[in-house]
Amino acid sequence: MQTISSPLGYRLGPLPVPPPVEGIQVNFCRNPDCTNFHVPAPLQRAPRGQGKSAPYQTVGHKPGRPKLVCNACGEGTAIKSNLAVWQEFQRVSAYLKEPPQPACPTFGCCNEGVGIYTRPDAYRKRGFTAAGTQRYQCKACKKRFTGAERVRRQKKPHENKTVFSEFVRGMGIRGIADGSGLSAQTVYDKLDFAHQQALAFAAHRERTVPSLRIDRLFLCTDAQSVVINWSDRRDRRNVQFTAVGTACLTSGYVFASNLNYEWGLDYKAAHAEAEKLGDFSVPLPFRRHARLWFAEDYEHAVTSERKRIKAEGRRRPRARASQLDDEILDRVEEEYLADRARPDPDVLLEAHPDAFLPPLGMQVRAEYTAAGHFHLLRRLLRNVGKVRFSLDQDGGLFAAWMGAFADRVDAGTADAFYVRITKNMSEDERKRCAKAAWRRFHATAMANPDLSERGVRLLMVKEQMPKLLAIGDRGDRWLVHPFPTKNEPEKAMCFLTDKMDAAGNSKYAPDHLARLYEQASLHRIDGFFAVVRSKLALLQRPEGKTSSGRTWARNGAYSPHAVAKALELFRVYYNYCRVGEDKKTPAMRLGLAKARCTLEDILYFRPEAPRQRVFKIRPTIRRRGHDFVGPPMPAALKAEVRIKSLDARPKPRHRPKRSLQHFHIPGYAQGPPPGKAPTDVANAEPPF
């Protein structure tokens, strides 16, 4: 089925599951209560007739994607490519890598490969090139070389702040060009410069996240759809992407917001390479380019999605079960039924019937973007004591999260919650829902006057905990939040990683469990997405449909690359420049900044080179009026020179000591008081 010839290619004998790549293996049982939880699937097939004794079985699930079934709990998961997860992790974390240091290029030199910041005493500066780039010279071999590439000189650098400020405040490209007197291409160039500086600025700060002393961290993750206008009149289908973002519930800091798009790939070249390697003749997880969308695969996914939508339209409305009288839990169960009808429940839904692939670059499968996103968070938060995630109700998000944090779940330092809210409610409906919740809260507070506001909320959650209902094939236990807010109406939660004992009780105490349920929320990441929609003209929702039924946004983008840059640029601005009601930015609350950063701090950021002070132990000898550095001296002569140099130094001017009589003491200005001797004045203690 799959063969491997190198760590980056697949060609080495038939295997049931893809082999691990760089320590990444995401094919295992994801049920925390199962004995095979986080047990990797073996790379050798079980002998014929002994499949039931093995921990897993590999079965054909859907065309192009096999399925891994656990023999202990019977839960099945779609097999995924570890190589694709590793490639996507490398893509989303590329900005965190340290920039390469210029070094001596001479082969055999003692300074070959040694950076100018690692050993600054081994190099000297030797002017600039015609383009303004700093040149250096190696002191050992006298070789001259060029340092880091300098940013191209700008004719109007004072307009950088204007373009950056107007862009993050919601003005479109044409509006910025008209207001500043610049051309549209110049505006794009200045935004590219701002994006480059913002990534360098954020990377310099976020490299220190693993060193922060954080005991517990509560985070929330959600996905957002981004629609791009069509660019070809012959094919007016929109391009739809998925952006996965994670924010801290306490500080509001957005750790990452990744779009499933890669600009630096050529579709024709990748398609030709895939045909040469025979990718289209093997199942999807065993392909060399498993993370990329090709036209054949996308058309097949769109056809399957149309059949599923048509089948749902013919399906009769299900009668409400007696145990699910609550409308909120009914909607939760409908989501489970919709996931079961999908070809791959563990994959993020992204193939839209009215969408197609981008004309430039390549679209990445959202399931692998989510996997790389969570592996990036795993590396950033590796030193945090406990992490708890609130995930939107999507099987693809949970599968990607479990692939990155399964070992921490097994160790008890990571947990995950499903959070489901009704997002298509009007403003009046949200207000009515929040008002009803406040009435229930007021009644509970009047019945318990000794409790604080937080205590009343916890009490309401504890009263709802006995009403937990098991929904889905795995029996996920859902709880309806008793105090929903206007931003999160009709809220329901599910503790996904709660390990039960033999009696069916949770591993946590009721009070602790109530606090965890009360803190589960998506409001931080949903708030970030809402601000992105309102402040970035490129990402505003389409106003309506054209005569052909296609959606079109007036200020929308036609280039996916511009959308990816806009998301990354706005994330840095949101974290370091946008203040809240407490006059603090998310970076200040998290501990990555001491004050609000200005736009100039980002635009003109330059990474500080590590400074190393070098002390030279060579005496300066004066001979005939000239100073020169001589060769190393013996220890005895060095001590003699040291003594002579100390004796030759000018001695400090001697100042006489001042007694207490020189100080002005209140009450003694006209001499000592009557009846006291002058010696008493000298021995008196001053009042300070």
Side-chain angles (χ1 to χ4, degrees):
M1 184 177 294
Q2 172 180 357
T3 54
I4 293 204
S5 59
S6 68
L8 298 181
Y10 284 140
R11 298 272 179 258
L12 189 126
L15 299 175
V17 294
V21 177
E22 297 295 331
I24 295 178
Q25 176 59 273
V26 297
N27 298 299
F28 50 81
C29 180
R30 300 187 180 96
N31 186 2
D33 297 325
C34 180
T35 56
N36 290 335
F37 174 70
H38 195 223
V39 176
L43 299 181
Q44 291 80 21
R45 292 186 179 274
R48 185 178 297 274
Q50 300 182 10
K52 294 296 183 64
S53 60
Y56 303 99
Q57 292 186 49
T58 304
V59 298
H61 177 44
K62 293 291 180 183
R65 186 186 290 270
K67 186 177 181 181
L68 189 69
V69 179
C70 177
N71 288 331
C73 64
E75 184 173 336
T77 57
I79 297 178
K80 297 185 179 181
S81 172
N82 300 310
L83 174 63
V85 175
W86 179 78
Q87 289 174 337
E88 196 63 8
F89 164 69
Q90 292 293 318
R91 183 184 72 87
V92 300
S93 62
Y95 77 101
L96 288 174
K97 296 180 180 179
E98 291 280 355
Q101 300 182 23
C104 179
T106 304
F107 178 76
C109 178
C110 59
N111 294 328
E112 180 189 5
V114 180
I116 59 175
Y117 302 143
T118 304
R119 282 197 59 191
D121 60 319
Y123 302 96
R124 62 170 60 94
K125 295 182 179 181
R126 282 297 183 185
F128 299 88
T129 63
T133 306
Q134 179 69 56
R135 293 182 61 85
Y136 298 89
Q137 184 183 33
C138 177
K139 294 182 179 179
C141 65
K142 309 302 180 183
K143 175 69 176 178
R144 298 184 181 183
F145 58 95
T146 306
E149 184 178 357
R150 187 176 180 179
V151 179
R152 187 176 58 183
R153 296 179 179 177
Q154 304 180 28
K155 295 182 180 180
K156 296 182 179 180
H158 58 280
E159 298 289 353
N160 293 332
K161 180 182 177 181
T162 303
V163 173
F164 191 4
S165 176
E166 297 297 333
F167 181 74
V168 297
R169 291 178 183 176
M171 187 168 291
I173 301 298
R174 180 58 60 185
I176 298 176
D178 294 341
S180 59
L182 305 174
S183 64
Q185 185 59 44
T186 303
V187 173
Y188 277 115
D189 293 340
K190 291 189 176 296
L191 289 178
D192 289 343
F193 169 72
H195 169 257
Q196 178 184 354
Q197 291 297 107
L199 286 186
F201 179 85
H204 182 72
R205 301 293 181 100
E206 292 177 356
R207 290 192 197 103
T208 63
V209 171
S211 62
L212 297 178
R213 297 181 179 180
I214 303 176
D215 185 27
R216 285 175 175 80
L217 203 60
F218 294 86
L219 304 108
C220 54
T221 303
D222 199 357
Q224 182 187 39
S225 297
V226 179
V227 180
I228 309 296
N229 289 333
W230 68 79
S231 58
D232 190 357
R233 292 185 177 182
R234 294 170 296 181
D235 188 358
R236 299 191 178 187
R237 287 180 291 180
N238 300 97
V239 181
Q240 183 170 336
F241 295 99
T242 302
V244 182
T246 296
C248 176
L249 284 171
T250 306
S251 63
Y253 190 90
V254 182
F255 284 96
S257 178
N258 305 120
L259 194 72
N260 62 330
Y261 174 76
E262 185 161 1
W263 166 257
L265 294 179
D266 182 70
Y267 180 85
K268 294 183 178 179
H271 193 276
E273 184 180 358
E275 288 183 340
K276 184 179 179 180
L277 295 175
D279 273 2
F280 300 110
S281 60
V282 297
L284 180 63
F286 303 97
R287 298 180 182 179
R288 174 64 175 81
H289 299 291
R291 69 187 181 102
L292 302 177
W293 274 112
F294 292 101
E296 299 88 343
D297 299 330
Y298 198 84
E299 289 290 352
H300 182 271
V302 167
T303 303
S304 301
E305 182 65 15
R306 286 174 179 170
K307 291 181 180 179
R308 185 187 68 85
I309 295 175
K310 188 176 181 180
E312 285 187 353
R314 292 196 305 260
R315 186 180 303 165
R316 296 180 179 179
R318 182 180 56 85
R320 184 172 300 175
S322 59
Q323 61 179 0
L324 294 178
D325 292 335
D326 197 332
E327 296 181 2
I328 300 176
L329 297 181
D330 264 358
R331 298 191 184 98
V332 170
E333 189 177 16
E334 290 175 0
E335 292 288 340
Y336 277 93
L337 294 176
D339 288 344
R340 186 188 301 174
R342 288 165 49 187
D344 299 310
D346 295 340
V347 176
L348 284 171
L349 184 61
E350 56 177 330
H352 195 272
D354 296 331
F356 197 61
L357 299 178
L360 297 177
M362 294 198 69
Q363 185 170 346
V364 181
R365 294 177 182 267
E367 55 177 309
Y368 291 110
T369 300
H373 174 88
F374 284 118
H375 276 83
L376 169 63
L377 295 177
R378 170 185 169 82
R379 303 296 173 90
L380 287 176
L381 309 177
R382 59 181 179 269
N383 293 329
V384 178
K386 288 187 178 181
V387 290
R388 292 187 170 94
F389 282 78
S390 298
L391 310 175
D392 190 24
Q393 187 186 356
D394 194 307
L397 280 180
F398 175 66
W401 178 85
M402 187 61 78
F405 289 91
D407 57 339
R408 298 199 61 171
V409 173
D410 204 11
T413 60
D415 288 313
F417 288 80
Y418 264 160
V419 177
R420 196 267 178 196
I421 60 176
T422 304
K423 299 182 180 180
N424 56 352
M425 297 180 66
S426 63
E427 187 71 13
D428 294 337
E429 292 174 343
R430 291 172 180 266
K431 290 182 179 179
R432 285 195 295 267
C433 182
K435 188 176 296 185
W438 271 107
R439 285 196 293 265
R440 293 193 298 268
F441 175 83
H442 182 70
T444 307
M446 294 297 293
N448 301 273
D450 298 336
L451 296 179
S452 61
E453 181 179 351
R454 177 75 186 281
V456 173
R457 293 187 180 186
L458 294 179
L459 178 61
M460 296 174 67
V461 174
K462 290 177 65 177
E463 292 176 352
Q464 286 289 113
M465 287 172 55
K467 303 177 183 179
L468 288 169
L469 292 178
I471 306 175
D473 297 336
R474 207 177 67 180
D476 296 336
R477 301 172 42 161
W478 283 82
L479 178 142
V480 178
H481 201 287
F483 191 74
T485 61
K486 177 183 174 183
N487 295 329
E488 293 183 323
E490 298 185 354
K491 180 178 176 181
M493 304 156 295
C494 172
F495 196 175
L496 295 170
T497 56
D498 190 10
K499 296 183 179 180
M500 301 294 178
D501 55 12
N505 298 322
S506 173
K507 62 180 179 180
Y508 293 111
D511 293 340
H512 190 187
L513 196 60
R515 288 193 295 269
L516 295 180
Y517 275 116
E518 196 266 339
Q519 292 176 343
S521 175
L522 296 175
H523 73 279
R524 286 294 191 181
I525 190 62
D526 287 345
F528 170 72
F529 285 152
V531 174
V532 166
R533 292 286 194 190
S534 61
K535 294 298 183 181
L536 290 185
L538 295 178
L539 296 178
Q540 291 178 359
R541 295 188 182 275
E543 299 176 359
K545 294 186 177 182
T546 62
S547 58
S548 60
R550 312 294 183 188
T551 57
W552 182 78
R554 182 181 302 274
N555 296 323
Y558 293 88
S559 172
H561 195 203
V563 173
K565 290 182 177 180
L567 276 175
E568 294 173 344
L569 180 62
F570 191 82
R571 184 182 75 88
V572 179
Y573 168 79
Y574 182 87
N575 287 332
Y576 294 93
C577 303
R578 185 180 174 88
V579 297
E581 296 180 356
D582 57 350
K583 305 300 180 182
K584 293 183 179 180
T585 62
M588 295 171 61
R589 303 187 196 104
L590 187 64
L592 293 180
K594 295 182 179 179
R596 177 181 179 270
C597 299
T598 62
L599 298 183
E600 291 87 347
D601 296 335
I602 299 176
L603 287 172
Y604 307 114
F605 168 77
R606 296 187 64 182
E608 298 180 358
R611 298 181 180 179
Q612 297 181 2
R613 193 173 180 181
V614 181
F615 298 91
K616 297 180 180 180
I617 310 177
R618 289 191 179 184
T620 301
I621 303 176
R622 187 175 183 86
R623 183 178 297 176
R624 293 184 181 181
H626 299 281
D627 293 344
F628 69 95
V629 178
M633 303 174 61
L637 184 58
K638 188 184 302 184
E640 183 179 355
V641 172
R642 174 69 175 169
I643 294 174
K644 291 183 179 180
S645 62
L646 291 177
D647 294 340
R649 288 187 307 175
K651 296 183 179 181
R653 186 177 60 182
H654 176 70
R655 293 182 179 181
K657 294 183 178 180
R658 302 178 65 183
S659 62
L660 290 176
Q661 294 181 358
H662 293 85
F663 291 96
H664 171 70
I665 303 177
Y668 295 90
Q670 305 298 330
K676 286 193 176 183
T679 56
D680 296 333
V681 177
N683 296 329
E685 295 184 0
F688 46 83

